Amino acid sequence: MSEFVTQGDVRQEQFDWGVIGWRLVPAHGSKHLVVMDVTLEPGGGHDFHRHPGQEEMIIVRSGRITQYVEQRSATLGAGDSVYLDEGAVHASFNDGDETAELQVVIGPSLGGDTGYGLEDVSGEEPWASLRGEVLRTSPL
């Protein structure tokens, strides 16, 4: 069923790496998409992970992030984006001095409360070593 989603309808969830605003989830009737507003404060980051069976698009709305895709990285600013194949290992770190606001779209939805599936690989190699490099070279 089509519906309007106002900012007040977006459920906020705090994590140790930032905030997710659940904009479009299965409870809204979506069978194929999950849409999130993500906030990363300076020094915050969503460590290395993957979404088995799900593709993802991350769009930087404001601020700046260092975005990893597998073992490659790029600095993304407002208006930049990254597409991630299903299961691609990735991480987003805000090593700037202003809050980064991201729009994230994942599909297909996996159902349940959020439609979102995540596998944390931050403790595995080579991701643990890459994270160590991030910590040594940035103010995180």
Side-chain angles (χ1 to χ4, degrees):
M1 174 172 107
S2 301
E3 69 177 74
F4 295 101
V5 179
T6 64
Q7 186 63 39
D9 296 329
V10 179
R11 180 177 58 86
Q12 302 291 311
E13 188 171 356
Q14 179 74 48
F15 293 88
D16 60 353
W17 50 264
V19 176
I20 289 181
W22 297 101
R23 183 163 292 278
L24 179 62
V25 294
H28 293 126
S30 176
K31 296 180 180 112
H32 302 285
L33 297 176
V34 175
V35 180
M36 297 171 281
D37 302 331
V38 176
T39 302
L40 294 177
E41 296 298 332
H46 193 183
D47 216 339
F48 290 94
H49 64 282
R50 67 175 138 231
H51 307 284
Q54 293 181 297
E55 298 175 300
E56 181 174 9
M57 171 65 80
I58 300 171
I59 306 159
V60 181
R61 294 175 53 188
S62 66
R64 182 175 58 101
I65 63 170
T66 299
Q67 180 64 53
Y68 280 83
V69 178
E70 300 292 341
Q71 296 181 47
R72 299 176 298 136
S73 68
T75 299
L76 302 179
D80 295 335
S81 61
V82 61
Y83 163 75
L84 301 158
D85 286 323
E86 69 176 70
V89 173
H90 58 286
S92 307
F93 300 109
N94 181 350
D95 51 8
D97 56 3
E98 65 180 273
T99 300
E101 300 285 341
L102 314 174
Q103 189 86 78
V104 178
V105 179
I106 294 180
S109 172
L110 298 178
D113 288 339
T114 64
Y116 178 78
L118 180 134
E119 181 182 331
D120 182 350
V121 297
S122 62
E124 301 172 17
E125 290 301 336
W127 321 117
S129 293
L130 279 175
R131 177 63 171 144
E133 288 176 27
V134 171
L135 288 172
R136 285 190 297 277
T137 60
S138 72
L140 291 179

